[in-house]
Amino acid sequence: MVKAIQIGLGHWGFSWTKEVIPKVPTVEMVGYVDTSLDATARVQTELGIDPKLCFSSLDEAAKHTDAVLAICTLRTEAHYPVVKRCLELGYHVIVEKPFTTTIAQGKELVALAKAKGKVLMVSQNYRHQPAPIAAAKLIAEGKFGAMNMVSIDFRRHGPSQGYRYWDMPDPLLADMSIHHFDLMRYVLNDEPVRLSCRT
Ligand SMILES: NC(=O)c1ccc[n+]([C@@H]2O[C@H](COP(=O)([O-])OP(=O)(O)OC[C@H]3O[C@@H](n4cnc5c(N)ncnc54)[C@H](O)[C@@H]3O)[C@@H](O)[C@H]2O)c1
């Protein structure tokens, strides 16, 4: 069994608490952290989580639990400070996409994880869905010949899907496009040589 704490019980964090983590039989949850009392109250009332397992700070949870894994389900801007602290405290870490706000922050965390000998993993769930898996198979088999260009047209009705990162600069690029970027790596079984973005 892997003992874990979860940090960030907001919109998607709650869905990890309710839908994702309970389906992993090798994980034992020993702590839930959120700076918002409303968020910790919600997992207690709606999911029956023991209040003794709820904490308002990562350091407090670290003091009172013996977890080895930190599941960081926070918004992007909180990833760098929280993941950094988790690694300093000696946790293995899985963090929601997108990894960090800047490449420098990402490199620093990767180096820190390496120095500490800890696993640092970014959750990227789209590549585990059936459609990308089928597309990757078609490409690998060369079903339609050699690939020379990929064009993606992505649209969704954000408001009805609960999308709410309007306060983030360029949210489609900063929050969502990592999904499509990672899918290109996966479906094409290739790595980028150069990247540019514009809004
Ligand atoms: N994998 C997917 O398909 C998918 C889909 C949507 C969103 N996401 C990602 O999930 C992540 C979380 O999004 P969200 O909508 O749940 O965010 P959110 O803003 O609803 O929740 C973040 C929570 O973290 C808490 N928090 C912030 N700083 C903290 C700190 N230092 N210590 C403890 N708690 C802190 C906040 O109080 C809040 O409850 C984002 O990175 C988003 O991109 C992933």
Side-chain angles (χ1 to χ4, degrees), residues 6-16 33-40 55-58 72-79 81-82 95-99 123-126 129 156 162-165 168 174-176 178-179:
Q6 185 189 356
I7 307 113
L9 310 170
H11 186 71
W12 286 97
F14 182 84
S15 129
W16 276 74
V33 182
D34 202 298
T35 45
S36 154
L37 290 179
D38 289 345
T40 42
F55 302 93
S56 60
S57 83
L58 169 58
C72 299
T73 48
L74 309 121
R75 285 177 62 140
T76 314
E77 67 270 18
H79 290 179
V82 172
V95 58
E96 260 287 6
K97 51 58 61 173
F99 182 24
S123 159
Q124 195 61 61
N125 54 354
Y126 279 27
Q129 292 173 2
R156 257 186 192 177
Y163 192 86
R164 49 218 193 82
Y165 304 123
M168 187 184 280
D175 178 69
M176 279 306 282
I178 190 62
H179 280 306

Coordinates of all heavy atoms in Angstrom, one line a residue, residues 6-16 33-40 55-58 72-79 81-82 95-99 123-126 129 156 162-165 168 174-176 178-179, ligand 1:
Q6 N -3.6 14.2 -0.4 CA -4.0 15.0 -1.5 C -4.1 16.5 -1.2 O -4.6 16.8 -0.1 CB -5.4 14.5 -2.0 CG -5.8 15.2 -3.3 CD -7.3 15.0 -3.7 OE1 -8.0 14.2 -3.0 NE2 -7.7 15.6 -4.7
I7 N -3.5 17.3 -2.0 CA -3.5 18.7 -1.8 C -4.3 19.4 -2.9 O -3.9 19.3 -4.1 CB -2.0 19.3 -1.7 CG1 -1.2 18.5 -0.7 CG2 -2.1 20.8 -1.4 CD1 -0.1 17.7 -1.3
G8 N -5.3 20.1 -2.6 CA -6.2 20.8 -3.6 C -7.5 20.0 -3.7 O -7.5 19.0 -4.4
L9 N -8.5 20.5 -3.1 CA -9.8 19.8 -3.1 C -10.9 20.7 -3.8 O -12.0 20.7 -3.4 CB -10.3 19.4 -1.7 CG -9.2 18.7 -0.8 CD1 -9.7 18.7 0.6 CD2 -8.9 17.3 -1.4
G10 N -10.4 21.4 -4.8 CA -11.4 22.3 -5.5 C -12.2 21.5 -6.5 O -12.6 20.4 -6.3
H11 N -12.5 22.2 -7.7 CA -13.4 21.6 -8.6 C -13.0 20.2 -9.1 O -13.7 19.2 -9.0 CB -13.5 22.6 -9.8 CG -14.5 22.2 -10.8 ND1 -15.9 22.2 -10.6 CD2 -14.4 21.7 -12.1 CE1 -16.5 21.8 -11.7 NE2 -15.6 21.5 -12.6
W12 N -11.7 20.1 -9.7 CA -11.2 18.9 -10.2 C -10.6 18.0 -9.1 O -10.7 16.8 -9.1 CB -10.2 19.1 -11.3 CG -11.0 19.5 -12.5 CD1 -11.2 20.8 -13.0 CD2 -11.7 18.6 -13.4 NE1 -12.0 20.7 -14.1 CE2 -12.3 19.5 -14.4 CE3 -11.9 17.3 -13.5 CZ2 -13.1 19.0 -15.4 CZ3 -12.7 16.8 -14.5 CH2 -13.3 17.6 -15.5
G13 N -10.1 18.7 -8.1 CA -9.5 17.9 -6.9 C -10.6 17.1 -6.3 O -10.4 15.9 -6.0
F14 N -11.8 17.6 -6.1 CA -12.9 16.9 -5.5 C -13.2 15.6 -6.4 O -13.5 14.6 -5.8 CB -14.1 17.8 -5.4 CG -15.3 17.1 -4.7 CD1 -15.4 17.1 -3.4 CD2 -16.3 16.6 -5.5 CE1 -16.5 16.5 -2.8 CE2 -17.4 15.9 -4.9 CZ -17.5 15.9 -3.5
S15 N -13.1 15.8 -7.7 CA -13.4 14.6 -8.5 C -12.3 13.6 -8.4 O -12.6 12.4 -8.5 CB -13.7 15.1 -10.0 OG -12.9 14.4 -10.9
W16 N -11.1 14.0 -8.2 CA -10.1 13.0 -7.8 C -10.4 12.2 -6.5 O -10.3 11.0 -6.4 CB -8.7 13.6 -7.6 CG -7.9 13.9 -8.9 CD1 -8.2 14.9 -9.8 CD2 -6.7 13.3 -9.3 NE1 -7.2 14.9 -10.8 CE2 -6.3 13.9 -10.5 CE3 -6.0 12.2 -8.8 CZ2 -5.2 13.5 -11.2 CZ3 -4.8 11.8 -9.5 CH2 -4.4 12.5 -10.7
V33 N -5.7 18.1 2.0 CA -5.3 19.4 2.4 C -5.9 20.4 1.4 O -5.9 20.2 0.2 CB -3.7 19.6 2.2 CG1 -3.3 21.0 2.6 CG2 -3.0 18.5 3.0
D34 N -6.5 21.5 2.0 CA -6.9 22.6 1.2 C -6.9 23.8 2.2 O -7.3 23.7 3.3 CB -8.3 22.4 0.6 CG -8.5 23.3 -0.6 OD1 -8.5 24.6 -0.4 OD2 -8.7 22.8 -1.7
T35 N -6.4 25.0 1.6 CA -6.4 26.2 2.4 C -7.8 26.7 2.6 O -8.1 27.5 3.5 CB -5.5 27.3 1.8 OG1 -5.9 27.3 0.4 CG2 -4.1 27.0 1.9
S36 N -8.7 26.3 1.8 CA -10.1 26.7 2.0 C -10.9 25.7 2.9 O -11.0 24.5 2.6 CB -10.8 26.8 0.6 OG -12.2 26.6 0.7
L37 N -11.5 26.3 3.9 CA -12.3 25.5 4.9 C -13.5 24.9 4.2 O -14.0 23.8 4.5 CB -12.6 26.3 6.1 CG -11.5 26.6 7.1 CD1 -12.0 27.5 8.2 CD2 -10.8 25.4 7.6
D38 N -14.0 25.7 3.2 CA -15.2 25.2 2.5 C -14.9 23.9 1.7 O -15.7 22.9 1.7 CB -15.7 26.2 1.5 CG -16.3 27.4 2.1 OD1 -16.7 27.3 3.3 OD2 -16.5 28.4 1.5
A39 N -13.7 23.8 1.2 CA -13.2 22.7 0.4 C -13.1 21.4 1.3 O -13.5 20.3 0.9 CB -12.0 23.0 -0.4
T40 N -12.5 21.6 2.5 CA -12.3 20.4 3.3 C -13.6 20.0 3.9 O -13.9 18.8 4.1 CB -11.2 20.7 4.5 OG1 -11.4 22.0 5.0 CG2 -9.8 20.5 4.0
F55 N -6.6 18.8 6.6 CA -5.7 19.8 7.1 C -5.7 21.1 6.3 O -6.1 21.0 5.1 CB -4.2 19.3 7.1 CG -4.1 18.0 7.9 CD1 -4.2 16.8 7.3 CD2 -3.8 18.1 9.2 CE1 -4.1 15.6 8.0 CE2 -3.6 16.9 10.0 CZ -3.8 15.7 9.4
S56 N -5.4 22.2 6.9 CA -5.5 23.5 6.1 C -4.1 23.9 5.5 O -4.0 24.9 4.9 CB -6.0 24.6 7.0 OG -5.2 24.8 8.1
S57 N -3.1 23.1 5.8 CA -1.8 23.4 5.2 C -1.0 22.1 5.0 O -1.2 21.1 5.7 CB -0.9 24.4 6.0 OG -0.2 23.7 7.0
L58 N -0.1 22.1 3.9 CA 0.7 21.0 3.6 C 1.6 20.6 4.8 O 1.8 19.5 5.1 CB 1.5 21.3 2.3 CG 2.6 20.4 1.9 CD1 2.1 18.9 1.7 CD2 3.3 20.9 0.6
C72 N -1.1 16.3 -6.1 CA -1.3 17.7 -6.1 C -2.3 18.1 -7.2 O -2.0 18.1 -8.4 CB 0.0 18.4 -6.4 SG 1.3 18.1 -5.1
T73 N -3.5 18.4 -6.7 CA -4.6 18.7 -7.7 C -5.0 20.1 -7.5 O -6.1 20.4 -7.0 CB -5.8 17.7 -7.5 OG1 -6.1 17.6 -6.1 CG2 -5.4 16.3 -7.9
L74 N -4.1 21.0 -7.8 CA -4.3 22.5 -7.6 C -4.3 23.2 -9.0 O -3.9 22.6 -10.0 CB -3.2 23.1 -6.8 CG -2.9 22.4 -5.5 CD1 -1.4 21.9 -5.5 CD2 -3.2 23.3 -4.3
R75 N -4.6 24.4 -9.0 CA -4.5 25.2 -10.2 C -3.1 25.5 -10.5 O -2.2 25.5 -9.6 CB -5.3 26.5 -10.1 CG -6.8 26.4 -10.1 CD -7.5 27.7 -9.9 NE -7.1 28.6 -11.0 CZ -7.9 29.5 -11.5 NH1 -9.2 29.5 -11.2 NH2 -7.5 30.3 -12.5
T76 N -2.8 25.7 -11.8 CA -1.4 25.8 -12.3 C -0.5 26.7 -11.5 O 0.6 26.3 -11.1 CB -1.4 26.3 -13.7 OG1 -2.4 25.6 -14.5 CG2 0.0 26.0 -14.4
E77 N -0.9 27.9 -11.1 CA 0.0 28.8 -10.4 C 0.4 28.3 -9.1 O 1.5 28.7 -8.5 CB -0.6 30.2 -10.3 CG -1.8 30.3 -9.4 CD -3.2 30.1 -10.1 OE1 -3.1 29.5 -11.2 OE2 -4.2 30.5 -9.6
A78 N -0.3 27.3 -8.5 CA 0.0 26.8 -7.2 C 0.9 25.5 -7.3 O 1.5 25.1 -6.4 CB -1.2 26.4 -6.4
H79 N 1.1 25.0 -8.6 CA 1.9 23.8 -8.7 C 3.3 24.0 -8.3 O 3.8 23.1 -7.6 CB 1.8 23.4 -10.2 CG 0.5 22.8 -10.6 ND1 0.2 22.4 -11.9 CD2 -0.7 22.7 -10.0 CE1 -1.1 22.0 -12.0 NE2 -1.6 22.2 -10.8
P81 N 5.0 26.2 -6.2 CA 5.3 26.3 -4.8 C 4.9 25.0 -4.0 O 5.7 24.6 -3.1 CB 4.5 27.5 -4.3 CG 3.5 27.8 -5.3 CD 4.1 27.3 -6.6
V82 N 3.8 24.4 -4.4 CA 3.3 23.3 -3.6 C 4.2 22.0 -3.9 O 4.6 21.3 -3.0 CB 1.8 23.0 -3.8 CG1 1.4 21.7 -3.2 CG2 1.0 24.2 -3.3
V95 N 1.3 15.4 -10.0 CA 0.7 16.8 -10.1 C -0.2 16.9 -11.3 O 0.1 16.3 -12.4 CB 1.8 17.9 -10.1 CG1 2.8 17.7 -11.2 CG2 1.1 19.3 -10.1
E96 N -1.3 17.6 -11.2 CA -2.2 17.8 -12.3 C -1.5 18.6 -13.5 O -0.5 19.3 -13.2 CB -3.4 18.6 -11.9 CG -4.7 17.8 -11.7 CD -5.3 17.3 -12.9 OE1 -4.8 17.5 -14.0 OE2 -6.4 16.8 -12.8
K97 N -1.9 18.4 -14.7 CA -1.5 19.2 -15.8 C -2.0 20.6 -15.6 O -3.0 20.7 -14.9 CB -1.8 18.6 -17.1 CG -3.3 18.3 -17.3 CD -4.5 19.2 -17.2 CE -4.5 20.4 -18.1 NZ -5.8 21.2 -18.0
P98 N -1.5 21.7 -16.2 CA -0.2 21.8 -16.8 C 0.9 21.8 -15.7 O 0.6 22.4 -14.6 CB -0.2 23.1 -17.5 CG -1.7 23.6 -17.4 CD -2.3 22.9 -16.3
F99 N 2.0 21.3 -15.9 CA 3.1 21.1 -14.9 C 3.3 22.4 -14.2 O 3.1 22.5 -13.0 CB 4.3 20.6 -15.6 CG 5.5 20.3 -14.7 CD1 5.3 20.0 -13.3 CD2 6.8 20.2 -15.2 CE1 6.4 19.7 -12.5 CE2 7.8 20.0 -14.4 CZ 7.7 19.7 -13.1
S123 N 0.1 14.3 -14.3 CA -1.0 13.5 -14.8 C -1.5 14.1 -16.1 O -1.7 15.2 -16.3 CB -2.2 13.7 -13.8 OG -3.4 13.5 -14.4
Q124 N -1.6 13.1 -17.1 CA -2.0 13.5 -18.4 C -2.9 12.4 -18.9 O -2.5 11.4 -19.5 CB -0.7 13.6 -19.3 CG -1.0 14.3 -20.6 CD -1.4 15.8 -20.4 OE1 -0.7 16.5 -19.8 NE2 -2.6 16.1 -20.9
N125 N -4.2 12.7 -18.7 CA -5.2 11.6 -18.8 C -5.7 11.3 -20.2 O -6.1 10.2 -20.6 CB -6.4 11.7 -17.9 CG -7.0 13.1 -18.0 OD1 -6.6 13.9 -18.8 ND2 -8.1 13.3 -17.3
Y126 N -5.6 12.3 -21.1 CA -6.2 12.2 -22.4 C -5.6 11.0 -23.2 O -6.3 10.3 -24.0 CB -6.0 13.4 -23.3 CG -7.0 14.5 -23.0 CD1 -7.6 14.7 -21.8 CD2 -7.3 15.5 -24.0 CE1 -8.5 15.8 -21.6 CE2 -8.2 16.5 -23.8 CZ -8.8 16.7 -22.6 OH -9.6 17.7 -22.4
Q129 N -7.4 7.6 -23.2 CA -8.7 7.5 -23.7 C -8.7 6.7 -25.0 O -7.7 6.7 -25.8 CB -9.4 8.9 -23.9 CG -9.6 9.5 -22.5 CD -10.0 11.0 -22.6 OE1 -10.3 11.5 -23.7 NE2 -10.2 11.6 -21.5
R156 N -14.9 23.6 -27.5 CA -15.8 23.1 -26.4 C -16.6 24.3 -25.9 O -16.1 25.4 -25.8 CB -15.0 22.5 -25.3 CG -15.0 21.0 -25.3 CD -14.3 20.6 -24.1 NE -14.0 19.2 -24.2 CZ -13.3 18.5 -23.3 NH1 -12.9 19.0 -22.2 NH2 -13.1 17.2 -23.5
G162 N -18.2 23.7 -17.1 CA -17.6 24.1 -15.8 C -16.2 24.6 -15.9 O -15.4 24.7 -15.0
Y163 N -15.8 25.0 -17.2 CA -14.5 25.6 -17.4 C -14.5 27.0 -16.8 O -15.3 27.8 -17.0 CB -14.1 25.7 -18.9 CG -12.7 26.0 -19.1 CD1 -11.7 25.0 -19.1 CD2 -12.2 27.3 -19.3 CE1 -10.4 25.2 -19.3 CE2 -10.9 27.6 -19.5 CZ -10.0 26.6 -19.5 OH -8.7 26.8 -19.7
R164 N -13.4 27.3 -15.9 CA -13.5 28.6 -15.2 C -12.1 29.2 -15.0 O -11.8 29.7 -13.9 CB -14.3 28.4 -13.9 CG -13.8 27.3 -13.2 CD -14.8 26.5 -12.4 NE -14.0 25.6 -11.5 CZ -13.6 26.1 -10.4 NH1 -13.9 27.3 -9.9 NH2 -12.9 25.3 -9.6
Y165 N -11.3 29.1 -16.0 CA -10.0 29.7 -15.9 C -9.9 31.0 -16.6 O -8.8 31.4 -17.2 CB -8.9 28.7 -16.3 CG -8.9 27.4 -15.6 CD1 -9.1 26.2 -16.2 CD2 -8.9 27.4 -14.2 CE1 -9.2 25.0 -15.6 CE2 -9.0 26.2 -13.5 CZ -9.1 25.0 -14.2 OH -9.2 23.9 -13.5
M168 N -7.0 33.5 -16.0 CA -5.7 33.1 -16.4 C -5.4 33.7 -17.8 O -6.2 33.7 -18.7 CB -5.7 31.6 -16.5 CG -4.3 30.9 -16.8 SD -4.6 29.1 -17.0 CE -4.7 28.6 -15.3
A174 N -2.5 28.3 -22.1 CA -1.9 28.1 -20.8 C -2.4 26.9 -20.0 O -1.7 26.2 -19.3 CB -2.0 29.3 -19.9
D175 N -3.7 26.6 -20.2 CA -4.3 25.5 -19.4 C -4.6 24.3 -20.2 O -4.4 23.2 -19.8 CB -5.5 26.0 -18.7 CG -6.2 24.9 -17.9 OD1 -5.6 24.4 -16.9 OD2 -7.3 24.4 -18.3
M176 N -5.2 24.5 -21.4 CA -5.8 23.3 -22.2 C -4.8 22.7 -23.2 O -4.9 21.5 -23.4 CB -7.1 23.8 -22.9 CG -8.3 23.8 -22.0 SD -8.6 22.2 -21.2 CE -9.3 21.2 -22.5
I178 N -1.9 21.9 -23.4 CA -1.0 20.8 -23.1 C -1.6 19.5 -23.4 O -0.8 18.5 -23.7 CB -0.6 20.9 -21.6 CG1 0.6 20.0 -21.2 CG2 -1.7 20.7 -20.7 CD1 1.9 20.3 -22.0
H179 N -2.9 19.4 -23.3 CA -3.5 18.1 -23.7 C -3.2 17.7 -25.1 O -2.9 16.6 -25.5 CB -5.1 18.2 -23.5 CG -5.5 18.0 -22.1 ND1 -5.2 17.0 -21.3 CD2 -6.3 18.8 -21.3 CE1 -5.8 17.1 -20.1 NE2 -6.4 18.2 -20.1
Ligands
LIG1 N1 -7.0 16.1 -16.2 C1 -8.0 16.8 -16.6 O1 -8.7 16.4 -17.6 C2 -8.3 18.2 -16.1 C3 -9.5 18.8 -16.4 C4 -9.7 20.0 -15.8 C5 -8.8 20.6 -15.0 N2 -7.6 20.0 -14.7 C6 -6.5 20.6 -13.9 O2 -6.8 20.4 -12.6 C7 -6.1 21.4 -11.8 C8 -7.0 21.8 -10.7 O3 -8.1 22.6 -11.2 P1 -9.4 23.0 -10.3 O4 -10.4 23.4 -11.3 O5 -9.7 21.8 -9.4 O6 -8.9 24.2 -9.5 P2 -9.6 25.0 -8.3 O7 -9.2 26.4 -8.3 O8 -11.1 24.6 -8.3 O9 -9.1 24.2 -7.0 C9 -7.8 24.5 -6.4 C10 -8.0 24.2 -4.9 O10 -6.7 24.3 -4.4 C11 -6.7 25.0 -3.1 N3 -5.4 25.6 -2.9 C12 -4.8 26.6 -3.6 N4 -3.5 26.8 -3.1 C13 -3.4 25.9 -2.1 C14 -2.3 25.6 -1.3 N5 -1.1 26.3 -1.3 N6 -2.4 24.6 -0.4 C15 -3.5 23.9 -0.3 N7 -4.6 24.2 -1.1 C16 -4.5 25.1 -2.0 C17 -7.8 26.1 -3.4 O11 -8.4 26.5 -2.1 C18 -8.8 25.2 -4.2 O12 -9.8 24.6 -3.4 C19 -5.7 22.5 -12.8 O13 -4.3 22.4 -13.0 C20 -6.5 22.1 -14.1 O14 -5.7 22.4 -15.3 C21 -7.4 18.8 -15.3

